[in-house]
Amino acid sequence: MRFTYCPYCGEKLIKKEIGDEGLIPYCDRCKEPLWDMFTTSVICAVINEYNEIALLRQEYVSETKYVCVAGIMKPGESGEEAAAREIKEETGLKVDELKYIKSYPYEKKEMLMLGYRAYVKKEELKLSVEVDAAEWFPLSESLEKLREGGIAWQLVKQIIEEAQAV
């Protein structure tokens, strides 16, 4: 989100030099800089003890490719809490272990995605209403199910490469 007006008083913002940040939207009335905002979310590669990954189908995302579990962080929630909550909501699975992998800027939606590898016990997937279908796939075959170059693909590719390096 890019501010044009102050969300506190409604005054039209000016551009003001703020330290080494350059020109920043600034409310001259409130004396406040208003940094551009973005949404923080999580994206999770959910992997079981058989080295399988749970991939989801969400028609509003893609009609041809699968996706990883993902969702928006809520205010006051850590990345780890958001990851565990989203996995539980979308698949019904409880996270046994969570490892942060890396962050991914998603400029198209002004979003920062925090990538995690989540270990779970294999169980039947209990899907939320926002998930159309889900399946367990061998991790080694998962990249072909994801949109090449997409954030889910990048996350899973890194996890596969790290496992092969060990």
Side-chain angles (χ1 to χ4, degrees), residues 39-160:
T39 302
T40 308
S41 63
V42 294
I43 184 164
C44 308
V46 179
I47 301 170
N48 68 29
E49 69 271 29
Y50 303 107
N51 214 26
E52 297 172 320
I53 184 169
L55 296 179
L56 314 179
R57 289 298 304 273
Q58 293 177 299
E59 299 298 325
Y60 72 92
V61 176
S62 173
E63 294 182 9
T64 60
K65 294 294 183 179
Y66 285 83
V67 296
C68 288
V69 171
I72 305 298
M73 288 175 58
K74 294 181 178 178
E77 190 174 49
S78 71
E80 292 76 13
E81 290 166 338
R85 177 184 50 77
E86 285 291 342
I87 291 166
K88 183 73 171 166
E89 286 176 3
E90 293 185 5
T91 68
L93 301 172
K94 178 187 168 291
V95 174
D96 291 326
E97 183 184 332
L98 198 59
K99 181 183 180 210
Y100 174 75
I101 303 298
K102 76 177 267 189
S103 62
Y104 303 88
Y106 186 14
E107 292 181 40
K108 179 180 170 186
K109 294 198 174 187
E110 294 184 342
M111 188 178 289
L112 177 68
M113 300 190 85
L114 306 178
Y116 291 92
R117 178 179 58 212
Y119 290 107
V120 300
K121 297 246 182 328
K122 185 174 184 176
E123 295 178 17
E124 181 182 334
L125 300 169
K126 297 175 183 85
L127 308 181
S128 79
V129 295
E130 68 182 85
V131 177
D132 297 307
E135 288 183 57
W136 290 107
F137 293 99
L139 187 58
S140 60
E141 298 172 14
S142 60
L143 290 178
E144 65 196 47
K145 308 287 184 193
L146 302 166
R147 185 177 61 78
E148 186 172 352
I151 293 173
W153 185 89
Q154 292 174 53
L155 172 64
V156 173
K157 184 174 186 283
Q158 182 168 344
I159 289 169
I160 290 170

